[in-house]
Amino acid sequence: MRSAQAAEVTLDRVRLFKQWGAKTVIAPQTLGPFGEKNGPLAKACSRLFDEASELYARDSVSLANAISLCPQIEDKAKIAPDTALVFESSKDSGSRATLENLGLVLGDRKKPVVGITLNRQINDRDKSYLTMMERLIRLLKKRGDQVVLIPHERGRYRNERDDQFLSRSLCERTSVPGIFSDGRRTYETERDYIEGIEAAHQHLDLLVAGRFHALIRGVAYGIPTLSVSWAHKYENFYRGLGLEAEEHILSSNDIEEDSTGESSCAKLDRFMDKLEENASLFKEKSEQERTSCYTRFFDAICTS
């Protein structure tokens, strides 16, 4: 929950469904921190968690945050993978062409296709973020990799400096292509665009995810995925996969620049040197997490 208002709206719906005799389940998500113990967000979330029939957190930190806020939910609070792991796009058939129409050559092992998703929220918190991502793109291009920017947000919160804006800016500065959504769209065309960019992830050789749900989509498709983190959910997601979080999360400290302006990143080099091995590993993790999502969440709520 991003705001007390959102929690209150959800709480009203939970109470309405309970009046109808329905079971209400809070699906797996990141929970907390909730700010001040007696603040409006904490109070609203505490009431919401208490009213829900069951609550699922994505990770152990989120679970601990929720139970600390509302101790009486301990018996009904559990951990399960994010349900986005099992999302099936209806746009798979045209997703390959989406990338090829940008001039990208798919399937060339010597020139991997690297997708990058930016995140406005990281940029709002860290003003060195765009510089870091520009250095990363130039480093990937120097390696001979093919780079494409795939923004996941457009105009949210009426903020013009959204993911689309940031991606266009970096595309212009680095001369790489991007998948963009121009102008106003109907609900149907916007949905098709969103499903299209989701499906395009499956054709990447590497994903560098700024958006958490981009990370999930990368893993869902079994794509080797690195991240740029701004919250505990990234680190805990990798740990939940049984992977070393520190080796899969990039920061500005990882990308060094020498006196001539040349960038290097030992962490990226290590990952790319074992790209095929990482591809096999992520496919294995994908199957495990998708299966776990069904058994630990969907099967659980249907039988409880």
Side-chain angles (χ1 to χ4, degrees):
M1 295 293 170
R2 293 178 181 270
S3 68
Q5 181 182 8
E8 292 287 1
V9 169
T10 307
L11 175 60
D12 289 342
R13 292 172 180 168
V14 165
R15 287 171 172 166
L16 177 62
F17 293 145
K18 287 181 70 175
Q19 289 177 10
W20 295 344
K23 179 171 70 174
T24 55
V25 179
I26 297 177
Q29 57 191 279
T30 301
L31 300 169
F34 301 101
E36 296 181 7
K37 184 75 173 180
N38 294 315
L41 177 61
K43 287 182 177 180
C45 285
S46 180
R47 289 193 295 269
L48 171 60
F49 299 165
D50 192 32
E51 289 276 2
S53 306
E54 296 179 28
L55 177 146
Y56 287 83
R58 284 189 186 127
D59 57 75
S60 58
V61 173
S62 293
L63 183 66
N65 286 339
I67 293 174
S68 175
L69 178 69
C70 189
Q72 61 268 35
I73 68 169
E74 186 169 6
D75 290 341
K76 65 179 181 182
K78 306 169 186 176
I79 295 177
D82 195 293
T83 57
L85 282 161
V86 296
F87 169 77
E88 300 288 348
S89 174
S90 63
K91 302 300 176 184
D92 283 357
S93 59
S95 58
R96 185 179 183 90
T98 299
L99 296 174
E100 291 177 332
N101 290 341
L102 295 173
L104 300 169
V105 179
L106 307 183
D108 186 346
R109 293 181 179 276
K110 294 182 179 180
K111 298 183 66 176
V113 177
V114 181
I116 294 178
T117 69
L118 300 181
N119 188 333
R120 170 190 59 81
Q121 292 173 297
I122 302 177
N123 187 61
D124 289 347
R125 291 168 170 79
D126 181 3
K127 295 309 177 185
S128 68
Y129 173 62
L130 278 188
T131 300
M132 167 196 165
M133 298 310 296
E134 181 176 351
R135 289 177 178 173
L136 177 63
I137 292 170
R138 296 191 185 282
L139 180 56
L140 289 165
K141 289 181 66 178
K142 182 181 176 182
R143 291 174 52 92
D145 303 332
Q146 304 175 82
V147 180
V148 57
L149 268 65
I150 310 177
H152 278 228
E153 177 193 65
R154 182 170 72 91
R156 198 175 185 193
Y157 310 122
R158 298 180 180 177
N159 186 337
E160 293 182 358
R161 295 182 64 85
D162 60 6
D163 293 4
Q164 295 263 340
F165 175 88
L166 298 180
S167 297
R168 287 184 189 277
S169 175
L170 277 190
C171 283
E172 292 173 1
R173 285 152 59 175
T174 60
S175 300
V176 299
I179 305 174
F180 296 109
S181 171
D182 294 309
R184 291 186 176 275
R185 292 172 175 255
T186 64
Y187 170 81
E188 290 76 13
T189 55
E190 185 72 3
R191 179 196 60 203
D192 289 347
Y193 164 73
I194 293 171
E195 289 199 25
I197 63 173
E198 292 281 4
H201 286 74
Q202 67 187 291
H203 304 294
L204 301 173
D205 297 300
L206 170 69
L207 174 64
V208 180
R211 286 284 169 184
F212 183 74
H213 276 91
L215 165 58
I216 291 178
R217 294 314 301 153
V219 171
Y221 282 124
I223 304 301
T225 304
L226 299 173
S227 297
V228 180
S229 169
W230 66 274
H232 74 261
K233 55 187 175 182
Y234 295 83
E235 286 84 352
N236 281 285
F237 184 74
Y238 283 114
R239 291 178 185 130
L241 294 174
L243 300 174
E244 188 177 349
E246 291 72 17
E247 280 299 302
H248 293 83
I249 292 177
L250 298 173
S251 71
S252 55
N253 293 331
D254 293 317
I255 303 176
E256 300 178 348
E257 190 174 76
D258 62 23
S259 58
T260 66
E262 291 291 325
S263 297
S264 62
C265 179
K267 186 180 293 185
L268 176 66
D269 290 340
R270 288 194 298 272
F271 196 80
M272 295 298 280
D273 287 345
K274 296 182 177 180
L275 191 58
E276 289 192 24
E277 181 180 326
N278 282 318
S280 297
L281 176 62
F282 272 78
K283 289 185 186 301
E284 176 187 327
K285 298 298 183 182
S286 174
E287 289 301 315
Q288 292 174 357
E289 282 299 285
R290 287 166 62 85
T291 299
S292 179
C293 187
Y294 281 112
T295 57
R296 297 173 66 185
F297 180 67
F298 290 110
D299 291 349
I301 64 173
C302 289
T303 57
S304 63

